[in-house]
Amino acid sequence: TGNTGLGVTVSGASMMGAIEGIINTTTFPVAVSRSKTGNMNTTDTVYHLLTIKGNLISNNKINTRELLIKRITGGSTASASSPCFLYLYINPTYSTSKLDFTPIGNASAYSTTDATITGGTPIAMFNITSGAPDTFDLDNLRIALPPQTKFAIAISSSAVMQSADCAITFIED
C-alpha cells in the first residue's frame, strides 16, 4: 500500500518595478567637436569626421552606462556653395582598421581619425548648406548606445569640400 499524504501547496510572490513618464537624466552632458580642413578632394566620398563610443571598462568595472545622443551640429564649406550631406552611422565600416580614441567624460571616448566610411547604413542624413551650419535636435529619437557601440558623424558633397565641422552633445547615463 502506498503512502497517503496531505495536499501539496505551493506559494510565492512576484514583483515588478517600472518607470512611467519622462525619464530625467541625472548627469551633465558631454560635448566634443571636430574641424577638418583640406584633404576632401574626392567628390561623393563619405568622409569620417567624429566617432564616439562608451568604454567597456569604467572605474575598473564593466561599464553599464548608455550614451544618449542629444544634439549634433554640422557645417561645411564646399566649392560653388554646393550642398553637403551629414550622415549619422551606428557601427559603420571605416577605411582604416584602427581608430585612435581619446577619453572624454567619465565613461566614453571619441575619435577624429582621418578616414572614410566604406560600409554601413546611415540611421539619419541631413542636407546642410555650404557656409551655413545647422543644429539638429536628436532627443526625440532616443538614440541610446550601449558600451563599445560606435556612433559616427560623416560628411559628403558632390563638390570638393574645403572644410567640415561637427559637434555632438550626449549624456552618459
Side-chain angles (χ1 to χ4, degrees), residues 112-165:
T112 58
T113 302
D114 280 335
T116 58
I117 303 294
T118 58
T121 302
I123 62 165
M125 289 174 61
F126 303 100
N127 189 323
I128 55 177
T129 303
S130 178
D134 207 349
T135 299
F136 305 95
D137 186 356
L138 303 178
D139 204 26
N140 289 337
L141 297 179
R142 180 114 172 89
I143 300 172
L145 306 172
Q148 293 298 99
T149 300
K150 294 180 182 86
F151 182 85
I153 302 173
I155 195 164
S156 76
S157 178
S158 60
V160 172
M161 292 181 286
Q162 288 79 35
S163 66
D165 305 285

Side-chain angles (χ1 to χ4, degrees), residues 11-17:
S11 62
S14 78
M15 178 185 218
M16 183 188 104

Side-chain angles (χ1 to χ4, degrees), residues 65-149:
R65 294 181 181 187
E66 293 178 320
L67 301 185
L68 305 177
I69 309 302
K70 295 298 182 181
R71 67 189 40 85
I72 62 162
T73 300
S76 70
T77 305
S79 58
S81 297
S82 293
C84 301
F85 289 98
L86 197 65
Y87 299 86
L88 305 182
Y89 288 92
I90 293 179
N91 290 327
T93 304
Y94 302 90
S95 61
T96 181
S97 60
K98 181 171 176 9
L99 297 179
D100 295 321
F101 282 92
T102 303
I104 188 171
N106 294 316
S108 53
Y110 72 95
S111 174
T112 58
T113 302
D114 280 335
T116 58
I117 303 294
T118 58
T121 302
I123 62 165
M125 289 174 61
F126 303 100
N127 189 323
I128 55 177
T129 303
S130 178
D134 207 349
T135 299
F136 305 95
D137 186 356
L138 303 178
D139 204 26
N140 289 337
L141 297 179
R142 180 114 172 89
I143 300 172
L145 306 172
Q148 293 298 99
T149 300

Side-chain angles (χ1 to χ4, degrees), residues 2-76:
N3 292 335
T4 59
L6 302 173
V8 176
T9 303
V10 177
S11 62
S14 78
M15 178 185 218
M16 183 188 104
I19 298 174
E20 291 186 27
I22 297 172
I23 300 170
N24 293 321
T25 56
T26 58
T27 60
F28 291 113
V30 178
V32 65
S33 65
R34 181 185 189 189
S35 294
K36 178 176 172 55
T37 304
N39 296 324
M40 294 180 285
N41 299 325
T42 307
T43 60
D44 297 319
T45 297
V46 181
Y47 292 97
H48 170 252
L49 293 176
L50 179 69
T51 295
I52 62 168
K53 70 173 183 170
N55 297 332
L56 182 61
I57 304 294
S58 177
N59 295 325
N60 295 321
K61 295 184 275 187
I62 293 178
N63 182 19
T64 59
R65 294 181 181 187
E66 293 178 320
L67 301 185
L68 305 177
I69 309 302
K70 295 298 182 181
R71 67 189 40 85
I72 62 162
T73 300
S76 70

